[in-house]
Every structure is written in C-alpha cells, then in structure tokens.
Amino acid sequence: MAKDMEVGGGHGSFGAKDYQDPPPAPLVDAEELGKWSFYRAIIAEFIATLLFLYITVLTVIGYKSQIDTTKGGDECGGVGILGIAWAFGGMIFVLVYCTAGISGGHINPAVTFGLFLARKVSLVRAVLYMVAQCLGAVCGCGLVKQFQKAYYTKYGGGANGLSVGYSTGTGLAAEIIGTFVLVYTVFSATDPKRSARDSHVPVLAPLPIGFAVFMVHLATIPITGTGINPARSFGAAVMYGKQKAWDDQWIFWVGPFIGAAIAAFYHQYILRAGAAKALGSFRSSSVI
C-alpha cells in the first residue's frame, strides 16, 4: 500500500513521473560524427530550408509582380499579406511534419540556437545544422532567381529590410518578439511533460509551430518583412546581391538569436522550474 501511495498519491506523485525527459545533449558528441543518421539529418535540414525559401520567396515576388501597376497589375490583387503569411506558415507546417522524425525539423538557425541553449542538441550538431540551413536558403533563393530572372532583382528578391518610417530599435524589437513567439511555441509543442499530461488532447506539433510563423508574419511583415529566421534573411540577401539587403542584415541575426535565448530561458527555467529545481538541489547539498 505504501508503495502504491508513493507512485499514485499525495506528495509521492512527484516521485514517479509519467513522462521521461531526454538527457541533456553533450556539448561535443564525438560518437554522432560516425553515424549516418547524423549526416542524414543535416541533409534533411538543407533540403527543407531550400524548399522553404523556394516556395516563400517565389510567393513574395509573385505578389509584388501582381500589384505592379506599371505592368498592368492591380494594387488590390494578388495574394496579399495574408497569402504571404500563409505561405510561410504553411510551408513550416509541411516541412516540420516531414522532417521532425529525421532532424527535428528546425529549418531555422534561431530554433537550433534555442534548442542548443536548452541542451537539446550538441554544439557540433547545432553548428552544422546552421550551416546546412544557410546553404539551403541560398540555394532555394538561387532557384527562384533562375526561374524568375525578369522579376527577381526588380522586386527585391524577397530580401528582408527595415521599412520606411520604422526605427532600428523597432525593427530589432519586432524580430526579438517574433522569434520569441516561434521558439516558445516550439518548446511548448515538443515538451514531453505536456505530451504526457495532455495525452487525451492529441496535438500535432507542426501545426502550432506553423500557426506561430503565420501569426508573426501578419504582425511584422509591414515592419521588417519578417525575418525570425537568419537563414531566410541571409539566403535572400546573398542572391539579391544589393547593398540595401545587407544594411540591416545584423537585425535579422541579433534579433532572432536574442528572442530564441529568451524563449529557451523562459521555458526551461520559469515554466519548467529548472531554476527552482537547481536551487533546491543546491540547498539540499548545503544542508548535508
């Protein structure tokens, strides 16, 4: 009976969890370098980011060509900001669903950085993921440039930039908050504790992540064109090749990385009470 109480009742319920947190990833994991699954994951990140940029940048350029009145376009035509936001959010939903079981479906250096800070991935994996994501973004934009030679440079190549009338601080804040929303959603949607506690409410993790991207785009497209993904901003800037695309590039790296770091800290040490657990452990050891 006492054993039953320890597992199922009173304060003993905290002693036996109905979920299992994965162990923290080592800073450097030499063993994973010899596994095919590691390189398969890197390839998956490269291809996913390539497809993401290809579809989304093509949507942006297509929209701008549709509303170009000098070419007979209609200012009220095209997919609009809503359609662009759906393209970004929808592609993230599709690609995270396809690659989650292979690489984790990061498709974003900021997401990878946040997961690294939370010890979900090793340093080696995080760095190689980011490299693959940036290369994939460049190649994805390169495909768009090849297929839309007449429109690519004319309509900005899908490059991010601070819109007229907004200060640098406003743009940076938009990127920090937008990325925080995304990375916080990633942590919440993939939390093993949440999955165990709410197992009666099935949630497809890529769905809220895709919706987070969609909602952030609706809010911040008018400000920065919405980065919240350094690889997306980097790839578009490289292929566009104009100084304008590089003037504010730092915003689309610093902002997302700060937002990801805040989201990682908030989820791991506030919501999951990591700080309280660490403090409790320290106090217990001090008493002994």
Side-chain angles (χ1 to χ4, degrees):
M1 182 60 119
K3 186 176 182 180
D4 292 338
M5 287 293 290
E6 287 178 1
V7 174
H11 296 288
S13 60
F14 294 99
K17 299 187 294 186
D18 57 354
Y19 69 96
Q20 185 65 44
D21 279 320
L27 187 63
V28 178
D29 187 358
E31 291 185 4
E32 66 182 357
L33 294 175
K35 297 179 180 178
W36 163 242
S37 59
F38 175 67
Y39 299 100
R40 182 179 63 187
I42 294 172
I43 294 171
E45 286 293 311
F46 170 81
I47 296 298
T49 313
L50 183 155
L51 295 175
F52 176 59
L53 267 294
Y54 172 72
I55 295 297
T56 54
V57 172
L58 201 57
T59 301
V60 171
I61 292 175
Y63 166 64
K64 289 186 175 181
S65 68
Q66 290 173 324
I67 64 172
D68 187 354
T69 55
T70 64
K71 296 292 184 180
D74 181 3
E75 289 185 351
C76 298
V79 297
I81 290 179
L82 183 64
I84 293 173
W86 271 121
F88 279 88
M91 278 305 292
I92 286 297
F93 167 68
V94 170
L95 294 170
V96 171
Y97 179 82
C98 292
T99 60
I102 301 171
S103 65
H106 297 191
I107 323 173
N108 184 338
V111 171
T112 300
F113 181 66
L115 293 173
F116 165 70
L117 293 180
R119 301 288 303 277
K120 304 293 184 182
V121 295
S122 68
L123 176 62
V124 174
R125 183 178 291 265
V127 170
L128 292 182
Y129 270 22
M130 291 181 192
V131 171
Q133 290 155 0
C134 289
L135 290 177
V138 171
C139 292
C141 290
L143 286 178
V144 177
K145 189 172 185 177
Q146 283 298 111
F147 295 152
Q148 293 281 359
K149 290 182 179 179
Y151 296 136
Y152 189 85
T153 302
K154 180 178 180 180
Y155 296 121
N160 289 122
L162 193 62
S163 298
V164 176
Y166 291 98
S167 67
T168 299
T170 299
L172 183 62
E175 289 297 309
I176 291 173
I177 296 171
T179 310
F180 172 85
V181 172
L182 170 59
V183 178
Y184 173 40
T185 303
V186 170
F187 274 108
S188 297
T190 59
D191 190 344
K193 181 177 181 179
R194 182 190 186 95
S195 299
R197 184 190 63 205
D198 300 334
S199 59
H200 61 289
V201 184
V203 176
L204 187 63
L207 186 59
I209 295 172
F211 262 109
V213 172
F214 167 70
M215 297 303 294
V216 171
H217 274 76
L218 284 182
T220 60
I221 282 177
I223 304 174
T224 61
T226 308
I228 68 171
N229 184 333
R232 174 260 186 274
S233 302
F234 176 75
V238 168
M239 295 312 302
Y240 183 48
K242 304 291 184 181
Q243 184 59 40
K244 181 182 178 182
W246 293 106
D247 288 341
D248 301 317
Q249 183 68 198
W250 68 272
I251 293 175
F252 303 103
W253 285 85
V254 175
F257 274 41
I258 292 176
I262 296 172
F265 176 83
Y266 176 63
H267 185 269
Q268 293 296 105
Y269 294 99
I270 304 299
L271 299 187
R272 290 299 302 273
K277 291 177 182 177
L279 181 60
S281 177
F282 173 76
R283 286 176 175 173
S284 298
S285 61
S286 297
V287 171
I288 295 173

